[in-house]
Amino acid sequence: MSRRRHSDDSDAGQPHKRRRTSEPSEIEERLESLICRVGEKSNSSLESNLEGLAGVLEADLPNYKSKILRILCTVARLLPEKLTVYTTLVGLLNARNYNFGGEFVEAMIRQLKECLKVNMYNEAVHLVRFLSDLVNCHVIAAPSMVAMFENFVSVTQEEDVPQVRCDWYMFAFLSSLPWVGKELYEKKDAEMDRLLSQTESYLKRRQKIHVPMLQVWAADKPHPQEEYLDCLWSQIQKLKKDRWQERHILRPYLAFDSVLCEALQHNLPPFTPPPHTEDSVYPMPRVIFRMFDYTDDPEGPVMPGSHSVERFVIEENLHCIIKSHWKERKTCAAQLLSYPGNNKIPLNYHIVEVIFAELFQLPSPPHIEVMYTTLLIELCKLQPGSLPQVLAQATEMLYMRLDTMNTTCVDRFINWFSHHLSNFQFRWSWEDWSDCLTQDLEKPKPKFVREVLEKCMRLSYHQRIIDIVPASFSVLSPANPVCIYKYGDESNRSLPGYTVALCLTIAIKNKASNDEIFSILKDVPNPNQDDDDGEGFTFNPLKIEVFVQTLLHLAAKSFSHSFSALAKFHEVFKTLAESDEGKLHVLRVVYEVWKNHPQMIAVLVDKMIRTQIVDCAAVANWIFSSELAHDFTRFYIWEILHSTIRKMNKHVLKIHKELEETKARLARQHKRRDSDDDDDDDDRSTDREDGPLEEQIERLQEKVESAQSEQKNLFLVIFQRFIMLLTEHLVRCETGGIDVFTPWYKSCIERLQQIFLQHHQIIQQYMVTLENLLFTAELDHHILAVFQQFCALQA
């Protein structure tokens, strides 16, 4: 296989060797392979490969022009890390075939418009950057590129458009300048000065209320956490001061300068940014993640400063490599480590910083969290002598800065670190973190270690975790995850319901039916006697307690046993938990039985929601109840709440999708009937055909409205409970003269932010309701600030 790949590369410069008898589809595949793989490691130099490939493509243009155009447009959008390789290739083709160059530029503009139309803004940035680099390859005339950027910057003058729209056009302009700034300044310095002046004016007046919500750390020491446009502007200003000289972008077109400078250039077709519509969804603002600087690697090559444009270029390219190869961790790791110019920069530090930047990105990482764990493991395998040390250094830095770290990012840090440890026999120098043992257990460091050990236990078993940590860490070690059955101890025989619990145990072991269980439970007295009806099955807390305690105890052996028990006695659960109080009490009893096994609580609550024993609102109310106050800041509680919200969101989406599909079926039926002009059927038969579908649509519309109402109610319950808890805390602190900013307050206010961020697309539908009912002007400014930051994200 590898031998064949080398022969493909070396063939690139010798088109006459290709078999002329090849089928068109084979030739197309070969062209795609050659284009996609140019720039990878090869026996030949990049320049000779490019020249050879340009010759192959030129020979095939008469027969395969549209295919070649399509492939080149696709790699421009999807392989931005090889941007200058492909711009050089297009430059060589333009020098040989002027008409092809013109068609390519037109195709790129069409693709750019299409990307903007369908909200593919990240890909659109790559296309703009590609077009700008074509100026360096003498394909596009510099004045027409400046004219396009003038149109981009003019978006900032539009009225009644969201700031994120202006931000995107500003970013597309500024982020292209490391590639083309020098060329544009040489040709059009006055126009460029005017554009940069307008940029500065816009950046000074734009609001940045959203920034605190997106920062990984609340403190700016040792590294400032800058808003992305502010950081890029500082980098561009420094680049301009350095006379647009940057030292990191690979520029293969310089080798072909004598050929390219003779080529005729094209003017870009006039490009007007498409107007803002209700369907436009722009990228959210970001905060630039900084973890390392030149002092962290004193022996290796110097790391570029945070405001040097080289830092921007390196990070952009590494992000692009991850985006292109994230589904194949081995390929992704190899591509990252073979990044060009890796001997001039501390590459391992850049890679680790970029991976953590993505993992901690708010509101959510670009890819699933587990991908980053597997990628770092793969990198450690490929560079066992250097990368693990950098990763350990990074982990130590993250631990030291836990006090100011955003709670959502702490969650991700816990997930990553525990998973990483499980792949390396849970080996870690725990003694180095013994400083956390002298702190209040609610402080971030001890909480972090406790949650990591809890997560490690999920990936191993209790005794193993006890064995791997020093005895001094016992206060933070997870409890033995055993079931607490209060009717199992004879000393508790005086408890109400004790004898019924014994009867239930025997009955369940003897495979009793639901009716027999109901019969036994009838003897349980109701502490709320007045509320009990003749049947004895309204809310009876003792009845629920005896049944749920006994059943969970008997099914405690595994998750599967517990699931089977829930399924077998589903009818009993549904009857006992018919009322809202009943549902809440079932959850309370689950917590009492399994308080030492958070994972069991999480999976049981999940199963109970799926089987409709409890509903989402009951889970939300339970999480904010006084019984759970002790565990309120624990990781698993929020895991349960977010899982509950996601289930509700999926439920609404599923019904909505059914409704849309049914409407589409009806529309297709109408279209078919309209097109069939010869059909002589009377109107009554068409009514008969439409009737069932129209009824189904009506039913589904009712279901969608009901589900959306339930969804809105869930968010109202959650936000209302947050407001109540935080308001009580603020009043208590104010009257007692205590500092508001306790560890509990930090955790709670950041969990409120987390709800907004993780479910922002859904919550935005209910903004007016939230503003009118809950987040009113009278609310304490500490709480209201979170809502205002959220509103600013898409403002």
Side-chain angles (χ1 to χ4, degrees):
M1 190 77 180
S2 60
R3 199 175 299 128
R4 205 171 142 195
R5 282 190 175 183
H6 287 307
S7 71
D8 279 355
D9 279 325
S10 57
D11 282 356
Q14 300 164 17
H16 61 274
K17 282 193 174 182
R18 199 176 66 248
R19 295 196 312 276
R20 290 297 172 193
T21 54
S22 297
E23 291 293 318
S25 61
E26 283 180 30
I27 295 173
E28 286 182 7
E29 281 174 25
R30 181 177 167 75
L31 287 172
E32 189 167 329
S33 172
L34 286 170
I35 292 170
C36 289
R37 283 181 26 227
V38 71
E40 291 179 10
K41 280 190 177 177
S42 148
N43 295 334
S44 314
S45 70
L46 174 60
E47 286 75 15
S48 67
N49 280 340
L50 279 168
E51 199 164 9
L53 180 55
V56 171
L57 297 179
E58 185 193 11
D60 281 323
L61 278 179
N63 300 319
Y64 299 100
K65 184 166 67 178
S66 60
K67 176 71 176 176
I68 292 167
L69 273 172
R70 194 161 63 250
I71 298 169
L72 287 172
C73 284
T74 304
V75 294
R77 183 167 54 87
L78 298 181
L79 295 177
E81 65 273 21
K82 293 203 283 185
L83 170 109
T84 55
V85 173
Y86 290 122
T87 52
T88 305
L89 178 60
V90 172
L92 291 170
L93 285 169
N94 179 63
R96 296 167 186 229
N97 187 323
Y98 177 75
N99 288 339
F100 175 80
E103 286 182 55
F104 176 76
V105 170
E106 285 174 9
M108 284 287 285
I109 290 292
R110 277 198 305 273
Q111 187 177 213
L112 175 60
K113 286 177 178 173
E114 189 56 37
C115 282
L116 295 174
K117 188 178 167 186
V118 295
N119 296 323
M120 291 168 64
Y121 287 97
N122 291 332
E123 283 84 350
V125 164
H126 301 151
L127 295 175
V128 172
R129 213 171 282 169
F130 195 99
L131 288 167
S132 69
D133 200 47
L134 287 177
V135 173
N136 295 320
C137 302
H138 296 267
V139 177
I140 291 174
S144 72
M145 195 73 229
V146 172
M148 184 179 185
F149 284 148
E150 282 172 341
N151 286 340
F152 276 27
V153 173
S154 70
V155 170
T156 62
Q157 305 299 323
E158 292 176 354
E159 292 181 2
D160 299 324
V161 295
Q163 180 175 290
V164 280
R165 170 178 167 84
C166 305
D167 285 355
W168 184 83
Y169 283 98
M170 197 52 77
F171 178 75
F173 163 54
L174 289 176
S175 67
S176 299
L177 294 182
W179 281 265
V180 76
K182 186 170 187 245
E183 189 73 14
L184 297 184
Y185 231 84
E186 284 174 1
K187 303 268 172 48
K188 289 279 179 180
D189 57 339
E191 290 85 345
M192 287 299 291
D193 276 331
R194 191 169 64 250
L195 280 178
L196 292 176
S197 171
Q198 288 170 343
T199 299
E200 186 171 27
S201 165
Y202 169 70
L203 292 175
K204 279 179 179 171
R205 70 175 186 268
R206 66 190 281 267
Q207 59 85 5
K208 285 176 274 192
I209 301 167
H210 58 272
V211 172
M213 199 174 225
L214 300 175
Q215 287 178 318
V216 174
W217 287 292
D220 270 345
K221 289 184 179 178
H223 307 295
Q225 304 297 299
E226 292 179 286
E227 213 268 353
Y228 80 120
L229 277 180
D230 288 346
C231 184
L232 180 56
W233 175 241
S234 298
Q235 290 163 333
I236 295 301
Q237 281 184 305
K238 186 176 185 306
L239 178 64
K240 186 188 174 196
K241 192 179 172 186
D242 295 341
R243 298 171 180 266
W244 302 97
Q245 296 295 326
E246 67 72 44
R247 299 169 189 81
H248 199 81
I249 295 173
L250 179 73
R251 298 184 187 267
Y253 38 77
L254 294 177
F256 301 102
D257 192 49
S258 57
V259 176
L260 297 177
C261 69
E262 297 294 320
L264 293 170
Q265 293 172 300
H266 305 268
N267 285 319
L268 282 169
F271 180 85
T272 307
H276 173 67
T277 67
E278 282 185 9
D279 297 326
S280 302
V281 182
Y282 304 97
M284 273 198 180
R286 291 174 289 118
V287 167
I288 300 299
F289 179 81
R290 286 279 177 261
M291 203 174 163
F292 297 124
D293 60 26
Y294 67 95
T295 61
D296 294 310
D297 183 26
E299 293 171 12
V302 176
M303 178 176 257
S306 62
H307 284 164
S308 75
V309 85
E310 284 80 9
R311 187 75 167 257
F312 171 77
V313 170
I314 293 164
E315 287 168 357
E316 276 287 289
N317 285 334
L318 293 177
H319 283 302
C320 289
I321 290 170
I322 294 172
K323 190 180 178 192
S324 298
H325 304 288
W326 71 274
K327 290 180 182 174
E328 295 290 338
R329 67 183 192 282
K330 289 179 186 289
T331 309
C332 191
Q335 291 285 340
L336 287 169
L337 291 171
S338 59
Y339 179 68
N342 53 13
N343 56 336
K344 300 177 193 166
I345 56 171
L347 183 61
N348 287 344
Y349 283 86
H350 282 292
I351 290 172
V352 168
E353 185 174 69
V354 161
I355 290 173
F356 278 124
E358 289 202 5
L359 178 60
F360 295 142
Q361 186 175 313
L362 295 168
S364 54
H367 312 294
I368 55 171
E369 285 179 42
V370 75
M371 187 280 291
Y372 300 102
T373 314
T374 57
L375 179 56
L376 284 167
I377 291 166
E378 206 56 48
L379 288 162
C380 288
K381 287 179 187 173
L382 291 176
Q383 293 271 16
S386 56
L387 207 132
Q389 291 88 320
V390 177
L391 195 52
Q393 188 180 341
T395 306
E396 187 65 34
M397 286 178 165
L398 292 171
Y399 171 79
M400 295 308 292
R401 298 186 66 187
L402 277 170
D403 287 349
T404 60
M405 196 174 193
N406 184 294
T407 301
T408 303
C409 299
V410 175
D411 286 352
R412 295 181 199 165
F413 183 23
I414 290 163
N415 278 332
W416 165 73
F417 188 53
S418 54
H419 189 176
H420 186 80
L421 288 179
S422 72
N423 282 272
F424 296 94
Q425 291 85 47
F426 297 101
R427 288 198 301 267
W428 187 253
S429 48
W430 296 103
E431 289 86 355
D432 293 351
W433 289 356
S434 55
D435 62 318
C436 70
L437 300 173
T438 57
Q439 297 182 10
D440 172 1
L441 295 184
E442 283 301 303
K443 288 280 182 74
K445 285 181 182 176
K447 276 193 83 64
F448 169 76
V449 172
R450 181 185 180 184
E451 295 292 359
V452 164
L453 295 176
E454 177 76 55
K455 272 282 185 181
C456 286
M457 187 176 73
R458 290 193 190 186
L459 301 165
S460 181
Y461 53 94
H462 182 253
Q463 192 54 48
R464 176 82 192 279
I465 304 307
I466 299 302
D467 294 341
I468 63 163
V469 293
S472 56
F473 277 73
S474 59
V475 67
L476 300 176
S477 298
N480 194 10
V482 291
C483 164
I484 302 168
Y485 180 50
K486 69 179 183 183
Y487 300 112
D489 192 339
E490 284 209 22
S491 61
N492 288 340
R493 57 172 54 248
S494 59
L495 281 174
Y498 181 84
T499 51
V500 180
L502 292 181
C503 295
L504 264 181
T505 303
I506 295 162
I508 292 169
K509 282 181 177 177
N510 290 330
K511 298 185 169 39
S513 66
N514 285 334
D515 289 340
E516 288 170 303
I517 299 297
F518 283 133
S519 167
I520 294 167
L521 289 173
K522 274 203 167 182
D523 299 334
V524 179
N526 190 349
N528 310 328
Q529 196 64 51
D530 299 341
D531 301 337
D532 213 1
D533 63 11
E535 290 295 310
F537 283 112
T538 51
F539 175 56
N540 181 335
L542 188 54
K543 212 174 265 188
I544 290 171
E545 211 154 301
V546 171
F547 172 68
V548 178
Q549 279 258 354
T550 305
L551 186 65
L552 293 183
H553 165 64
L554 291 171
K557 193 172 182 182
S558 69
F559 294 142
S560 303
H561 285 77
S562 298
F563 291 169
S564 299
L566 293 184
K568 184 172 181 183
F569 297 104
H570 186 255
E571 188 190 337
V572 182
F573 272 108
K574 288 286 282 183
T575 308
L576 292 177
E578 198 175 352
S579 64
D580 290 343
E581 299 103 312
K583 290 178 177 68
L584 206 50
H585 204 66
V586 165
L587 293 165
R588 285 192 197 110
V589 179
V590 169
Y591 174 71
E592 283 171 20
V593 174
W594 284 118
K595 63 171 71 171
N596 289 335
H597 195 342
Q599 189 182 11
M600 182 63 92
I601 297 175
V603 295
L604 285 176
V605 171
D606 182 273
K607 194 70 173 175
M608 285 177 167
I609 294 171
R610 286 173 192 272
T611 52
Q612 297 178 349
I613 292 169
V614 299
D615 56 32
C616 296
V619 174
N621 277 313
W622 167 66
I623 280 171
F624 287 93
S625 65
S626 55
E627 291 87 353
L628 247 68
H630 181 263
D631 277 6
F632 185 71
T633 57
R634 292 286 306 276
F635 179 96
Y636 81 94
I637 291 291
W638 301 97
E639 205 174 24
I640 291 171
L641 185 60
H642 287 293
S643 169
T644 303
I645 295 170
R646 281 195 299 273
K647 269 186 192 49
M648 173 56 79
N649 297 346
K650 276 183 184 174
H651 173 62
V652 174
L653 279 174
K654 186 185 169 191
I655 303 171
H656 197 269
K657 190 181 174 188
E658 279 178 44
L659 174 63
E660 293 305 313
E661 284 171 355
T662 312
K663 281 181 176 176
R665 273 211 313 278
L666 183 65
R668 280 197 302 273
Q669 202 163 284
H670 284 171
K671 193 176 178 185
R672 208 165 44 240
R673 195 164 57 238
D674 293 344
S675 64
D676 193 359
D677 298 332
D678 303 326
D679 193 353
D680 294 324
D681 287 356
D682 60 17
D683 289 342
R684 279 172 298 177
S685 72
T686 60
D687 288 346
R688 278 200 303 276
E689 282 175 33
D690 290 352
L693 278 179
E694 283 170 350
E695 284 172 23
Q696 195 180 342
I697 287 169
E698 213 170 295
R699 280 197 307 274
L700 283 169
Q701 271 170 336
E702 285 174 14
K703 280 176 80 175
V704 166
E705 283 167 21
S706 168
Q708 283 177 333
S709 170
E710 212 179 320
Q711 185 184 51
K712 187 201 285 188
N713 182 53
L714 174 63
F715 283 115
L716 286 172
V717 167
I718 291 168
F719 289 129
Q720 191 174 34
R721 299 305 291 267
F722 262 119
I723 289 168
M724 285 163 65
L725 276 179
L726 285 163
T727 305
E728 283 169 19
H729 169 81
L730 292 165
V731 169
R732 197 164 51 245
C733 290
E734 202 175 311
T735 52
I738 311 163
D739 183 17
V740 166
F741 300 99
T742 63
W744 180 91
Y745 173 79
K746 178 184 183 293
S747 174
C748 191
I749 202 87
E750 288 180 0
R751 289 296 180 190
L752 173 59
Q753 287 179 348
Q754 186 183 43
I755 299 288
F756 274 119
L757 283 174
Q758 287 203 7
H759 311 284
H760 62 95
Q761 288 162 321
I762 308 295
I763 293 171
Q764 269 160 355
Q765 299 169 28
Y766 307 122
M767 292 285 275
V768 177
T769 309
L770 290 173
E771 193 167 7
N772 292 339
L773 293 182
L774 298 177
F775 295 94
T776 56
E778 296 78 44
L779 197 60
D780 186 283
H781 70 94
H782 292 89
I783 309 169
L784 193 57
V786 175
F787 183 69
Q788 288 166 341
Q789 287 163 15
F790 174 68
C791 294
L793 283 176
Q794 289 286 355

